[in-house]
Amino acid sequence: MNKLNKFFKGIVNFFDKCIIMPITRLVFKITKRLNVPNKKFESWLSKPTTLLFVSLFISVAVFIVVDQKIIGFSSQSAEVLKNQIVNVEYDEELYVVEGLPETVDVTLIGSKADLYIAKQSSSGEVTVNLTGLTPGTHKATIEYDHGNSDIEYSVNPSVATVIIYKKVSDIRELSYDVINNNLDTTLIVTGVTLSEDEVTIRGAEHKLEQVATVKALIDLDNLSKKEAGTQTLNDITLKAYDKDGNVVDVEFATTKISAEVTLDSPSKKVPLNFVPNGDLATGKAIEGYTFSQNEVTIYGDSEVLSSINSLDLKVDVSNLSTDASFKVEIDKPNGIKSISTNYVTVSIKITDSSSEPVKFSVPLDGINIGEGLIAQPVDNENGFITVEVQGASSVLSNIDESDITVYVDLKGLGEGTYTKEVFVKGSNPLVTYKAKRTEATVIISKKN
């Protein structure tokens, strides 16, 4: 309330100081020169109606002077309107226009009052009239229509060289691209069905010749629900591209393209494999282990899921000498989008290793043999490889020859005799396997 009182008091003081007091002094001087009796003048001037009419008269006079520009209050000024959109008039059904700038800068020149009004007005428009022009190259004048005769203007650029082409049409096959794929990692797009297989494109002939593909952009941000199921997207954006993937500026006869988008969440439960990495402390062996969970759910394309039957859990056991627990991250295979859990706790039980390894004589096998070929060891010594198995005694008692595979890799080899590196692997991760031979010689020949 105090602020409001101060505001009105300020207005009163302004009129008293700037209008009433100056008028009173002026009239007093005039009467003094004309020898008008002061008492009569003061009595007349003290009347409220007198001051009101005198103030009103002066206000009207000042308004007329300003409105009619009898007195120049300010010099000419300039104002630049940046990036004004160019509106072009031509027969859009028959022609295509190239060479016109999308925006121009307009400089307005006039009094500050006129410039202010011009800036606030929405009637100003940049126009180019190409009506009646035929295909070919033309000079076009860019004009600014502002509706105020007191304002001068200049347009930059004011003239443009335009090329008018006859508009042609062509029918193209329609494909699609999925964009803004910010779906939950458990979801994938399993199908998109467009409402149209073809679309008509329109434009200058040389533009249509550049078009290599036309695609509907399936924007997953526009899905109303991001969950498994089928949804419809309407008013799909269409884009034409050249052979290098650059957008080609053409028109589309229709934009009423819709798409049925199907989301799915393919998954599969797979067990975890314990894979120890590194060497335990000398004389120690793993007697057993447990996982906080023995299987996980993986998500991805169905084709990828079908190729994965288990996941390896790699655990660093370097220099381990006592029982321990580890929180281990699960490695995500290529093609897998998500795993139900990223970490598993592994508890390992350590015991003393057996003093002597267990030995097995394992037949040599060959892998990656070419089609129509067979491989055989050159002799019995190369045909059976001695493998030493070291670990905890309680674990070794359950190991037999069927748990061990010894092989050589014969990929890319044709007929002949070859000496190749020997590899050994076993099904039990709690023990170590070591082949006594590092190489074996085999003969590759054609099948009978």
Side-chain angles (χ1 to χ4, degrees), residues 7 37 79 85 97 108 110 118 126 129 161 199 217 237-238 242 265 272 283 288 292 312 332 343 351 353 358 370 395:
F7 174 74
E79 189 78 33
I85 297 175
V97 176
L108 303 181
V126 178
N129 191 347
T161 300
V199 66
L217 303 185
T237 299
L238 302 178
D242 63 17
S265 182
L272 297 173
S292 57
D312 291 339
K332 187 188 298 182
Y343 293 90
T351 188
S353 178
V358 177
V395 178

Side-chain angles (χ1 to χ4, degrees), residues 267-298:
S267 63
K268 181 181 181 179
K269 286 187 176 181
V270 294
L272 297 173
N273 299 325
F274 177 65
V275 181
N277 286 336
D279 296 325
L280 296 168
T282 303
K284 296 299 180 178
I286 299 174
E287 187 174 23
Y289 67 90
T290 58
F291 292 152
S292 57
Q293 61 185 77
N294 294 319
E295 63 180 12
V296 294
T297 302
I298 56 177

Side-chain angles (χ1 to χ4, degrees), residues 395-437:
V395 178
L396 290 177
S397 62
N398 295 317
I399 300 292
D400 59 35
E401 182 184 305
S402 63
D403 298 321
I404 307 169
T405 301
V406 178
Y407 62 93
V408 289
D409 190 348
L410 306 177
K411 184 177 181 180
L413 301 180
E415 293 182 82
T417 300
Y418 303 93
T419 299
K420 302 293 292 181
E421 182 182 0
V422 171
F423 298 92
V424 60
K425 64 179 181 180
S427 60
N428 194 321
L430 304 184
V431 297
T432 59
Y433 304 88
K434 182 179 180 181
K436 296 298 290 181
R437 291 177 63 98

